[in-house]
Amino acid sequence: MEKISDFTVRRLSSYYRILSDLEQKKVLTISSAKLAEFGGITSAQVRKDLSYFGNFGTRGLGYNVSELKNEITRILGLNQTWGMALFGAGSLGNALFFHQGFRDDGFFFRYLFDVDLGKIGTKWGNLEILAVDKAKEVLKRDPVDIGVITTPKEAAQDIVDLAVEVGIKGILNFAPRELVVPEGVSLRNVNLAVALESLSFSLSI
Amino acid sequence: MEKISDFTVRRLSSYYRILSDLEQKKVLTISSAKLAEFGGITSAQVRKDLSYFGNFGTRGLGYNVSELKNEITRILGLNQTWGMALFGAGSLGNALFFHQGFRDDGFFFRYLFDVDLGKIGTKWGNLEILAVDKAKEVLKRDPVDIGVITTPKEAAQDIVDLAVEVGIKGILNFAPRELVVPEGVSLRNVNLAVALESLSFSLSI
């Protein structure tokens, strides 16, 4: 399982979304060709991706939509809930906090931290923004799975070191800088400019 | 040029960032092996990606950092500025509006639209939020290059149709639904949950 590439996982996310849609529309089965068409990839790729995880299809009938969706839900770890701490209660953090899609997937912000005295003590929804100085104490007592980093880039590595120290195993980084994490901690970087650069590339040719 | 895959463009974005960093650190040349190492890919992949666009390297010396950065800047269309209209002045739109990285890359929001009477007429920075009813008139008179969609998913297709009608050629969609655009219009979808799902996958195995 360790060898699955991030690109494969991204495709699994895509299948998950397609299958969720189909399930809502009461579609019962789907062929790898059709799944490939929805995902914009080849059916050989679909079969290869799914073959990593076992044998889901029935020759000639395709995949059972609900079964395959449940299996991918399990593979992606979406059959459980994940607790998150947000570091950096700025406008991006706010947007992520209120993003319904995270909650639908089982990702919940349980702590909000900032350094700004004007923000500390105020609330987003029912959750109070805490001083980052308290983070170590709070998160050692009540651990979370994932740290979401929306601090300025200068602060990001210190925050990640803190997150690692309290035992957080997954980091989602929105700060535009390369971060270092020890082995055993997973890091994903999201750069919002990349999709725009892909557009400007298209518009330039 | 049309055949360049989105994955290649993503790697170009990654090279662009690495080279910008190196240039700031006054590094003059870099080998494809080193560039590959920074990007987490093979040096054969680096050479292949760059070969699409001409011949940048000198055997034994590697690439000139500034020359290669300037060339990739040009390829990605980042040697010019891009005007954008935001549709949906919610918390995610707000975060994107204030995202410094977009401005650094030459992407500027020039119009903000919403349907909420409580928001229309208020300002973000110096820019007033306008009624979406005015968008057609405003954008026909003063066109923008890119439409950024942060509306609820139910409204997204209508907004895209409007954007296409006024001549917008690039759509960046954050609404969690599949959108249809005619040929000649580029669409990129950003799903914020995908990176989290990749993390929960890692944390589950």
Side-chain angles (χ1 to χ4, degrees), chain A residues 159-170:
Chain A
I159 291 294
V160 167
D161 294 347
L162 183 156
V164 168
E165 197 190 326
V166 298
I168 286 176
K169 295 288 185 229

Side-chain angles (χ1 to χ4, degrees), chain A residues 6-7 13 17 75-77 82 91-92 94-95 105 107 169 186 188 191 195 197-198 200-204, chain B residues 6-7 13 17 75-77 82 91-92 94-95 105 169 172 186 188 191 196-198 200-204:
Chain A
D6 200 48
F7 290 121
S13 284
R17 247 161 279 284
I75 290 164
L76 289 175
W82 299 92
S91 59
L92 179 57
N94 187 266
D105 269 6
F107 297 96
K169 295 288 185 229
S186 299
R188 297 292 180 278
N191 190 318
E197 290 167 4
S198 164
S200 59
F201 170 82
S202 287
L203 298 176
S204 300
Chain B
D6 200 49
F7 290 122
S13 283
R17 247 161 278 284
I75 290 164
L76 289 176
W82 299 93
S91 58
L92 180 58
N94 187 266
D105 268 7
K169 295 287 183 231
L172 184 65
S186 298
R188 297 290 180 279
N191 190 317
L196 272 180
E197 289 167 5
S198 165
S200 59
F201 171 80
S202 287
L203 297 177
S204 300

